[in-house]
Amino acid sequence: MEVGFVGLGAMGRPMAQHLQRAGHRLHLWARRPESVASFEGTGAVVHATPAELAAATDVAFTIVTTSEDVERVALGEGGFVEGARPGWVHVDMSTIAPGTTRRIAAALAVRGAAMLDAPVSGGSVAAEAGTVAMMVGGDAAVLERVRPLLATFSRAIVHVGDNGAGEVAKACNQMVMVAAIQACAEAMLLAQAHGVDAAKVREALMGGSASSRMLDVMGDRMIRRDFAAGIEARLHHKDFGILMDEAARLGTPLPVAAQVWQQLNALMSQGGAHDDTSGLLRVVERASGRGAD
């Protein structure tokens, strides 16, 4: 197929490469020319605008940072909507507000095109391995049409519901995941306060009911004090901003998420925006007077 891709970052680049290796011809657009440099000589076509990309493709993927970024690519001047036609599909894998997804889907529907919100989980490691988990909102028949493309880099694809439902599921994913990271940080702090070996505590917990991927990965980073970015904390901060806005709009109490949101705010204010979210350990250490760095 003729497949478009916008967002060649840590996750997008390997996803695009998986599509290319599967035999699909890539069509690219990027705000920064250097972003597409690694695809030179591979047969990929670089377009001047998202509209040109849409006109040349059957399906186009986006994975960018903010709701505003996606809306600009899809509906802004020279955006997808200007090149969309009946049967064309936009698959957005970004983590954005459900309302933004619904607005884009409605605008594309006027042109006979469709949108799937299909945010992913697993980070850059899963993107490289082709094993991201995907939660999808939109028309089920459209999902089935593009499922072979998604399967080139996804290990699990779940249709959650109509447009916006995928983003709701991703917000739930982020709440559970980052709350678990915060719990790991507090457990490490408690072990420190007692003078107990935190590595041994983590080992013991991994053998019991507290075992989790976050304790495995983030707990290990905390023990090694390796706060170099896996996924930059600023991205989780952005995600929590979205879900807390949604909670306020819906009048939905999220007390644990609200506390984690404040810890992420503290991490940002302490200069940890570009560190891994395991840096939440340093927030609780500083609050306790035990900060080592």
Side-chain angles (χ1 to χ4, degrees):
M1 295 178 70
E2 303 292 327
V3 179
F5 212 100
V6 175
L8 299 169
M11 293 190 71
R13 184 178 307 280
M15 290 175 171
Q17 290 168 338
H18 284 301
L19 286 163
Q20 196 171 45
R21 283 193 286 269
H24 304 289
R25 185 158 76 152
L26 280 183
H27 295 256
L28 308 174
W29 178 82
R31 286 178 296 182
R32 298 183 299 276
E34 60 269 22
S35 298
V36 300
S38 63
F39 288 90
E40 290 180 3
T42 68
V45 180
V46 179
H47 294 272
T49 66
E52 289 183 13
L53 182 151
T57 57
D58 306 301
V59 179
F61 291 87
T62 50
I63 181 164
V64 293
T65 304
T66 68
S67 299
E68 293 75 17
D69 291 332
V70 181
E71 196 155 19
R72 192 177 302 114
V73 170
L75 305 183
E77 183 178 354
F80 283 161
V81 71
E82 296 178 14
R85 62 192 183 282
W88 185 82
V89 181
H90 174 197
V91 180
D92 178 43
M93 300 184 293
S94 316
T95 299
I96 64 172
T100 302
T101 285
R102 295 179 185 121
R103 283 196 301 276
I104 296 171
L108 290 173
V110 172
R111 302 294 296 264
M115 181 185 186
L116 298 175
D117 50 297
V120 296
S121 181
S124 58
V125 172
E128 292 279 359
T131 59
V132 301
M134 179 174 284
M135 42 215 89
V136 184
D139 186 271
V142 174
L143 170 58
E144 292 311 308
R145 281 172 48 203
V146 303
R147 186 181 288 272
L149 296 176
L150 309 183
T152 65
F153 51 74
S154 304
R155 64 171 172 79
I157 303 167
V158 177
H159 183 236
V160 184
D162 295 333
N163 282 118
E167 295 297 350
V168 172
K170 182 61 184 290
C172 294
N173 180 86
Q174 302 305 77
M175 277 197 293
V176 172
M177 180 178 69
V178 184
I181 298 171
Q182 175 67 21
C184 290
E186 294 181 22
M188 297 301 104
L189 181 69
L190 184 61
Q192 289 176 20
H194 276 283
V196 174
D197 186 339
K200 289 295 185 182
V201 170
R202 173 180 165 276
E203 181 182 352
L205 296 181
M206 284 299 295
S209 58
S211 177
S212 71
R213 177 161 175 75
M214 289 302 99
L215 180 60
D216 182 18
V217 175
M218 296 298 193
D220 178 62
R221 291 177 187 173
M222 291 174 189
I223 289 163
R224 292 187 290 107
R225 305 195 71 78
D226 178 11
F227 303 115
I231 295 179
E232 293 185 354
R234 67 182 178 87
L235 299 176
H236 287 148
H237 181 256
K238 179 264 298 183
D239 297 346
F240 265 66
I242 292 170
L243 69 90
M244 295 311 298
D245 282 347
E246 292 294 305
R249 184 179 67 83
L250 296 168
T252 304
L254 303 175
V256 173
Q259 290 293 322
V260 174
W261 169 230
Q262 292 305 316
Q263 295 299 105
L264 287 167
N265 281 339
L267 182 57
M268 297 304 104
S269 72
Q270 293 171 12
H274 298 286
D275 292 341
D276 185 81
T277 307
S278 59
L280 284 170
L281 175 62
R282 293 193 285 197
V283 173
V284 294
E285 287 177 339
R286 288 178 181 177
S288 71
R290 294 177 177 274
D293 56 357

